[in-house]
């Protein structure tokens, strides 16, 4: 399981916008930051990211972050963000990201941190492919055929995106220069283990839904109790010495075979291809069922975030209150019974290795941002007042249709 953390440098696409964006030139330069020229498109890309962040903050302020309402239902620029007008907040946030964009590159130059030709080529080839490829989501939500057309509609060309992607890649290397095992400010194994223990629960879990083989909800307490009893039987097997791999395989196979049995009963006809009796036909369909068996115990691991779990709230609470002893217990939820085995997350070395950089960013991203801010806070900025405050002002760029 890979963790998914926010990038240090901005530039990620958010396709939820339903605003009318202006077409602007990408090849011009609207400012210099500490002597580095900034493309219009780079600025506009960061401005779009800032707009999306403002939208999210307004949702949180208004208590609508879990709402299904679209961006078109919120007039972002009529709102305040952190006690400032949204327009002013967006401009300040954009400038902040531009400063960070410059700081990353200057620090990498200072430390001799570079990207190889192969890394740059792979990155640019990937961008070009994505840029030119038909994108159904963009097509149906924005009316553009490709991602490139969408970006270009508001002035962000491919050269600007190449610069942003390069800065992102350099930022990743710079971050590791500071915080990796051999870094300038290394994060120790003890720090990582403490963080993981406080923020992630490692579990293996079976989910036995209160549904029949056709996926229909069970209506009686007796039928639900049968599921709960089955879950307890699986837990007893695990605590009796059976491996989770074997128990999970048996559970998957039994579930698939029951579904095949019901399907065969419903689909049987006397003129079936093999001229089988109903009993023979059902047996054949059930016997033909095959499910994949895990090869390694770690293939079945799940990692539950304490603050950002996607599981039911009560189930998450149960997991976090469970003993870290490798013993199986059963949680009887409202829609399913769960067989849960909680284990020591610090013993999951392969998972930590696969997610090492992401975990470091979870621990040190705020400190890293602070280092960037110390670097760029005194950068001198020379800008084209007309472009920044009029032509590309948020009120113009994100004008509603």
């Amino acid at each position: 399981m890979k963790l998914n953390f926010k990038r240090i440098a901005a530039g990620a696409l958010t396709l939820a916008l339903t605003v009318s964006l202006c077409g602007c030139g990408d090849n011009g330069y609207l400012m210099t930051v500490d002597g580095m020229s900034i493309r219009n498109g780079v600025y506009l890309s960061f401005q779009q990211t800032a707009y999306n962040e403002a939208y999210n903050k307004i949702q949180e302020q208004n208590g609508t972050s879990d709402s299904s309402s679209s961006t078109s239902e919120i007039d972002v620029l009529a709102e305040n963000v952190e006690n400032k007008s949204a327009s002013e907040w967006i401009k300040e946030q954009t400038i902040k990201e531009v400063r960070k964009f410059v700081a990353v590159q200057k620090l990498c130059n200072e430390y001799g941190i570079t990207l190889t030709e192969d890394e740059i080529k792979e990155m640019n080839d990937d961008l070009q492919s994505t840029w030119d490829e038909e994108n159904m989501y963009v097509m149906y939500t924005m009316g553009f055929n490709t991602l490139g057309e969408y970006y270009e509609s508001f002035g962000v060309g491919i050269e600007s995106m190449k610069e942003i992607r390069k800065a992102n890649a350099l930022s990743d290397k710079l971050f590791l220069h500071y915080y990796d095992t051999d870094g300038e400010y290394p994060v120790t194994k003890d720090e990582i283990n403490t963080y993981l223990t406080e923020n992630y629960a490692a579990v293996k879990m079976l989910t036995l839904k209160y549904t029949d083989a056709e996926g229909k909800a069970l209506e009686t307490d007796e039928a639900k109790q049968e599921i709960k009893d089955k879950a307890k039987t699986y837990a007893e097997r695990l605590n009796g010495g059976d491996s989770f791999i074997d128990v999970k395989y048996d559970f998957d196979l039994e579930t698939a075979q029951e579904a095949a049995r019901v399907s065969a009963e419903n689909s049987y006809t006397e003129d079936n291809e093999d001229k089988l009796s109903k009993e023979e036909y059902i047996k054949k369909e059930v016997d033909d069922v095959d499910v994949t068996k895990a090869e390694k115990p770690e293939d079945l691991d799940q990692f539950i975030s304490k603050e950002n779990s996607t599981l039911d709230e009560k189930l998450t609470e149960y997991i976090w209150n469970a003993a870290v002893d490798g013993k199986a217990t059963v949680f009887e939820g409202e829609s399913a019974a769960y067989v849960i085995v909680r284990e020591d997350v610090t013993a999951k070395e392969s998972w930590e290795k696969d997610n090492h950089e992401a975990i470091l960013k979870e621990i040190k991203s705020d400190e890293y941002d602070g280092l960037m801010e110390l670097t760029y806070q005194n950068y001198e900025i020379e800008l084209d007042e007309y472009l920044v405050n009029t032509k590309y002002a948020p009120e113009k760029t994100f004008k509603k249709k």
Side-chain angles (χ1 to χ4, degrees):
M1 173 186 173
K2 286 282 187 180
L3 301 181
N4 184 17
F5 295 111
K6 181 181 177 184
R7 299 303 306 270
I8 294 297
L13 171 68
T14 298
L15 294 175
L17 287 175
T18 54
V19 295
S20 178
L21 300 172
C22 67
C24 317
D26 180 69
N27 292 324
Y29 297 86
L30 50 61
M31 67 173 61
T32 61
V33 178
D34 201 45
M36 181 180 290
S37 297
I38 305 299
R39 287 178 182 270
N40 297 350
V42 170
Y43 180 87
L44 289 168
S45 180
F46 287 130
Q47 186 184 64
Q48 187 202 27
T49 301
Y51 180 95
N52 291 327
E53 290 177 1
Y55 167 70
N56 291 333
K57 285 181 177 293
I58 290 166
Q59 275 196 316
E60 292 173 4
Q61 290 170 185
N62 296 344
T64 59
S65 57
D66 294 326
S67 169
S68 60
S69 63
S70 70
T71 49
S72 61
E73 296 173 349
I74 295 178
D75 187 353
V76 171
L77 297 178
E79 302 276 351
N80 289 330
V81 180
E82 297 178 345
N83 299 317
K84 299 176 183 177
S85 71
S87 176
E88 189 63 28
W89 188 91
I90 289 168
K91 283 195 286 188
E92 289 183 6
Q93 189 67 15
T94 303
I95 294 293
K96 179 179 178 181
E97 291 302 325
V98 171
R99 286 175 178 269
K100 189 188 301 184
F101 169 80
V102 172
V104 164
Q105 295 176 78
K106 286 185 172 290
L107 286 169
C108 285
N109 284 336
E110 180 181 331
Y111 292 123
I113 298 170
T114 61
L115 300 175
T116 67
E117 290 184 6
D118 286 343
E119 287 173 327
I120 294 173
K121 183 179 186 304
E122 181 180 356
M123 192 164 51
N124 289 343
D125 288 348
D126 176 68
L127 175 60
Q128 189 72 62
S129 175
T130 304
W131 198 263
D132 295 332
E133 189 178 70
E134 283 195 351
N135 186 303
M136 299 303 290
Y137 189 76
V138 171
M139 191 179 299
Y140 285 109
T141 60
M142 299 296 175
F144 299 99
N145 291 322
T146 67
L147 198 60
E149 288 180 8
Y150 168 74
Y151 270 124
E152 288 166 356
S153 73
F154 59 94
V156 180
I158 195 166
E159 293 305 317
S160 289
M161 290 308 300
K162 285 179 180 178
E163 290 186 8
I164 291 170
R165 286 200 174 194
K166 181 180 178 181
N168 271 326
L170 286 171
S171 181
D172 289 341
K173 290 193 173 188
L174 178 62
F175 181 90
L176 292 177
H177 168 84
Y178 286 132
Y179 300 115
D180 207 0
T181 306
D182 57 351
E184 197 168 329
Y185 314 109
V187 180
T188 67
K189 183 65 174 175
D190 285 345
E191 286 180 281
I192 292 173
N193 285 344
T194 297
Y195 177 81
L196 293 179
T197 300
E198 293 176 351
N199 291 277
Y200 288 94
V203 299
K204 291 182 174 69
M205 183 163 57
L206 298 180
T207 302
L208 287 72
K209 296 181 179 179
Y210 301 145
T211 57
D212 62 20
E214 295 179 290
K216 298 177 182 177
L218 300 175
E219 296 182 356
T220 66
D221 291 339
E222 290 78 6
K224 292 179 182 179
Q225 188 59 50
E226 287 184 15
I227 299 294
K228 295 173 184 177
D229 290 342
K230 186 180 293 186
K232 292 174 183 176
T233 299
Y234 284 131
E236 289 170 359
R237 284 184 55 188
L238 289 166
N239 290 333
D242 285 1
S243 72
F244 204 96
I245 287 178
D246 289 338
V247 172
K248 178 71 162 56
Y249 175 77
D250 291 346
F251 166 67
D252 289 342
L253 182 61
E254 182 180 346
T255 302
Q257 286 178 332
E258 181 60 16
R261 182 187 65 77
V262 172
S263 177
E265 286 181 347
N266 293 336
S267 64
Y268 174 77
T269 59
E270 291 184 356
D271 62 345
N272 64 83
E273 184 179 350
D274 296 322
K275 305 302 180 184
L276 300 175
S277 68
K278 187 172 185 177
E279 291 74 15
E280 291 171 330
Y281 179 79
I282 293 172
K283 184 177 186 305
K284 178 179 181 301
E285 291 297 301
V286 171
D287 289 346
D288 285 346
V289 169
D290 186 28
V291 297
T292 302
K293 187 173 185 178
E295 296 181 359
K296 306 184 294 265
E298 52 264 35
D299 293 339
L300 301 175
D301 286 336
Q302 297 183 49
F303 297 88
I304 313 303
S305 168
K306 191 170 188 177
E307 299 299 327
N308 299 299
S309 173
T310 58
L311 300 178
D312 173 81
E313 183 178 346
K314 291 182 179 179
L315 175 58
T316 300
E317 183 180 0
Y318 180 87
I319 288 171
W320 275 90
N321 287 328
V324 186
D325 58 5
K327 299 294 184 181
T329 60
V330 175
F331 173 70
E332 298 177 1
E334 295 182 5
S335 61
Y338 303 86
V339 181
I340 294 166
V341 177
R342 186 173 178 188
E343 300 171 321
D344 181 5
V345 69
T346 66
K348 306 296 181 179
E349 294 184 0
S350 61
W351 176 75
E352 192 277 328
K353 182 179 179 181
D354 288 344
N355 295 282
H356 180 69
E357 184 175 343
I359 291 167
L360 291 183
K361 287 178 180 177
E362 278 277 284
I363 298 171
K364 290 293 186 178
S365 61
D366 288 345
E367 183 176 311
Y368 178 73
D369 285 344
L371 283 174
M372 293 303 101
E373 187 168 355
L374 284 173
T375 301
Y376 68 62
Q377 64 183 356
N378 293 320
Y379 280 174
E380 182 177 347
I381 296 180
E382 297 180 5
L383 54 81
D384 186 317
E385 290 281 354
Y386 168 72
L387 292 180
V388 172
N389 295 319
T390 302
K391 185 175 182 179
Y392 301 148
E395 292 84 356
K396 184 72 175 289
T397 309
F398 301 105
K399 183 179 180 180
K400 293 282 184 179
K401 288 184 178 180

